[in-house]
Amino acid sequence: MKCILVAAVVVLMAWVSSFVSHAQAAPCLMITLTGTQGGPPAFKGLAGPGTLVRYGEDSNNCSAMKLQFDAGRGTVMRLAELDITPEQLNAVFFTHMHNDHTEGFADLITLRWMFFGTGPKIDAVCTSDTVSTLGFTISCQKFTAHIADSFIQSGEVAQRHSEIKERTAGGPADLINTITFEAKDEPQIVWS
């Protein structure tokens, strides 16, 4: 988690500093919590963990780049309250692969596919596969590859593709560009 956040801050600071030389537009950075509820249970309408980072300049309402860190339950609803649709996100970063941090991603990517089924792809950034102390493999790569298997198995992907041929025939997972990295104890660039 520290690696992702440190790398993201470094990239954001470099990008923001590039705007300092432009006198006509002031750089800006906005951070919005899209969910703060941790753990599996739902609690009084709170959304699962998530943070939206927007940056740009005042001329584009600080929205040249939109990055979502974690996508817990309710992420799409919280983004909708900010007038941000799934296709406007540039990347989603997962701090770790627990369901309270990932379960809103299926909603996000499925809506992106349903309404904008030809792209652009969204980057999903996460650590490489890890093996737990009990021997289970925790895999972001498999998670993103199989995100919409239930829709494929139920026939909905084929039905939706027949309605609008421009949608990818493989379903929502075809719109994900999964980027993995090896976790390290020092800062590293994982996405740019």
Side-chain angles (χ1 to χ4, degrees):
M1 181 168 129
K2 288 191 324 190
C3 293
I4 292 174
L5 296 178
V6 169
V9 169
V10 170
V11 170
L12 290 175
M13 290 179 71
W15 192 85
V16 169
S17 68
S18 71
F19 282 107
V20 172
S21 62
H22 298 85
Q24 67 272 21
C28 60
L29 172 69
M30 294 172 60
I31 299 172
T32 306
L33 298 177
T34 56
T36 57
Q37 170 65 41
F43 182 74
K44 296 186 180 185
L46 293 178
T51 303
L52 174 68
V53 176
R54 291 176 279 181
Y55 63 90
E57 51 191 46
D58 55 6
S59 64
N60 62 24
N61 197 26
C62 201
S63 292
M65 188 68 60
K66 295 178 185 83
L67 310 173
Q68 180 69 35
F69 289 81
D70 289 326
R73 180 188 305 116
T75 296
V76 169
M77 292 185 339
R78 294 295 185 249
L79 292 173
E81 291 171 356
L82 300 167
D83 292 323
I84 296 173
T85 57
E87 78 281 358
Q88 292 176 313
L89 293 177
N90 300 93
V92 175
F93 297 80
F94 293 108
T95 59
H96 61 287
M97 297 308 297
H98 285 174
N99 72 317
D100 59 327
H101 292 253
T102 62
E103 63 191 359
F105 187 64
D107 192 22
L108 190 147
I109 196 67
T110 300
L111 286 172
R112 190 176 175 114
W113 179 80
M114 289 260 195
F115 296 103
F116 304 94
T118 59
K121 287 188 172 194
I122 188 169
D123 290 339
V125 184
C126 45
T127 58
S128 299
D129 291 1
T130 58
V131 179
S132 74
T133 55
L134 297 175
F136 298 103
T137 300
I138 300 166
S139 177
C140 175
Q141 188 78 39
K142 287 181 182 176
F143 171 76
T144 58
H146 297 283
I147 194 77
D149 283 359
S150 61
F151 298 111
I152 292 169
Q153 296 302 319
S154 71
E156 184 177 2
V157 166
Q159 175 190 346
R160 300 292 180 193
H161 180 64
S162 72
E163 296 166 353
I164 301 175
K165 293 285 186 203
E166 291 76 28
R167 288 188 181 115
T168 59
D174 285 355
L175 292 182
I176 304 169
N177 178 39
T178 305
I179 300 169
T180 61
F181 62 92
E182 294 294 328
K184 298 180 181 177
D185 288 332
E186 62 272 350
Q188 62 178 315
I189 296 174
V190 298
W191 183 86
S192 62

